[in-house]
Amino acid sequence: MKLARPLLVAAIAVSLLSSCAVAVIGAIAAGTAIVATDRRSTGAQIDDQSIQLRLSNELGTAFKSISNEVHISINSYERKVLLTGEVPTEQAKAQAGEIAARSLNVRAVVNELAVAKPSSLGQRTNDTSIGTKVRAQFVNTKEVPYTAIGIVTERGIVYLMGFVTQKEGETAAYVASRVSGVQQVVKVFDIGTPEEVQRRRLGASQPPAPTTNAAPAASAPPASGAASEAPPAAVASPVTAPGTAK
């Protein structure tokens, strides 16, 4: 208990700092979709919050001159960063990915930024509603570890993050794809064996570093081109929602 309290305080402090950074930058939204109770250690959760805060500041500085044209959401799970939102050019998308890949403590980047105008308030409100409905379906599905999966929604596309077994990930993606309003589901999971997942549940030991999910289908947006010394870009795996694919 003596160790847990400082860690908890640190996590809350980092979360509050992240919110402040978002308010100052305006165009950058950091880490709002990762669930608080999951299969990460407390230290890993604090590391991810720190990455989100750091990247919020770094990207805010990089795009300060065009902040009205940029909307970037930053989510990190065990140091794998997911970038979603909108930027005005392919060059800006690549730049954001490179900044994330070079940022301290980042192991991989999944760059899902769209080259488009920033989404409207109405679209973001709709995305929030979709995420809430997906979460509700996860809670009602016994096979889905709903407390271990983070949900990020952008323009009707649902991104799923977390440390899961192959079967858990496939089930979660299928359930999400059946929710009304979902255009596509993209899996950004780290995949572990059932034994590794069980060790995390019990907290008996630290499991081996999780492996990155399988390569995406051809329709998935490409990951950022990171600098040669940066961590390799991660990949995402899309699942098309029935009857709603573009």
Side-chain angles (χ1 to χ4, degrees), residues 16 64 83 116 130 132 136 138 144 180 217 219 230:
L16 291 174
K64 184 176 181 179
L83 300 178
I130 289 172
T132 299
F138 282 1
V144 176
S180 174
S219 61

Side-chain angles (χ1 to χ4, degrees), residues 60-246:
T61 298
F63 294 114
K64 184 176 181 179
S65 62
I66 57 170
S67 60
N68 291 335
E69 304 175 64
V70 173
H71 162 241
I72 301 177
S73 295
I74 307 161
N75 286 276
S76 178
Y77 190 92
E78 292 194 335
R79 302 183 294 113
K80 178 164 69 175
V81 169
L82 169 67
L83 300 178
T84 57
E86 302 82 30
V87 291
T89 65
E90 288 288 350
Q91 181 180 1
K93 174 179 178 177
Q95 182 183 0
E98 289 164 2
I99 291 170
R102 292 195 300 265
S103 190
L104 180 65
N105 214 22
V106 171
R107 68 176 171 92
V109 177
V110 178
N111 190 345
E112 295 283 307
L113 291 169
V115 178
K117 292 182 179 179
S119 55
S120 66
L121 178 60
Q123 177 64 72
R124 295 177 202 177
T125 301
N126 185 59
D127 286 339
T128 299
S129 175
I130 289 172
T132 299
K133 289 189 289 185
V134 171
R135 175 69 63 198
Q137 288 301 310
F138 282 1
V139 172
N140 291 328
T141 304
K142 184 173 66 172
E143 296 83 0
V144 176
Y146 65 90
T147 62
I149 296 177
I151 302 168
V152 181
T153 310
E154 294 278 0
R155 304 179 313 283
I157 303 173
V158 172
Y159 301 88
L160 303 177
M161 304 184 78
F163 182 73
V164 298
T165 65
Q166 188 72 40
K167 182 177 181 180
E168 287 174 338
E170 290 173 356
T171 302
Y174 176 77
V175 170
S177 74
R178 309 295 294 183
V179 172
S180 174
V182 173
Q183 301 298 310
Q184 188 180 36
V185 177
V186 179
K187 294 181 288 184
V188 198
F189 289 128
D190 285 325
I191 301 299
T193 66
E195 292 75 19
E196 289 171 336
V197 168
Q198 180 66 9
R199 281 201 296 269
R200 290 215 180 181
R201 284 200 196 100
L202 299 176
S205 64
Q206 287 291 332
T211 56
T212 303
N213 203 34
S219 61
S224 156
S228 59
E229 70 275 14
V235 294
S237 180
V239 176
T240 301
T244 57
K246 294 184 178 179

Side-chain angles (χ1 to χ4, degrees), residues 32-47:
T32 57
I34 295 299
V35 291
T37 304
D38 55 38
R39 291 169 179 170
R40 293 173 295 178
S41 67
T42 303
Q45 293 184 56
I46 293 174
D47 285 345

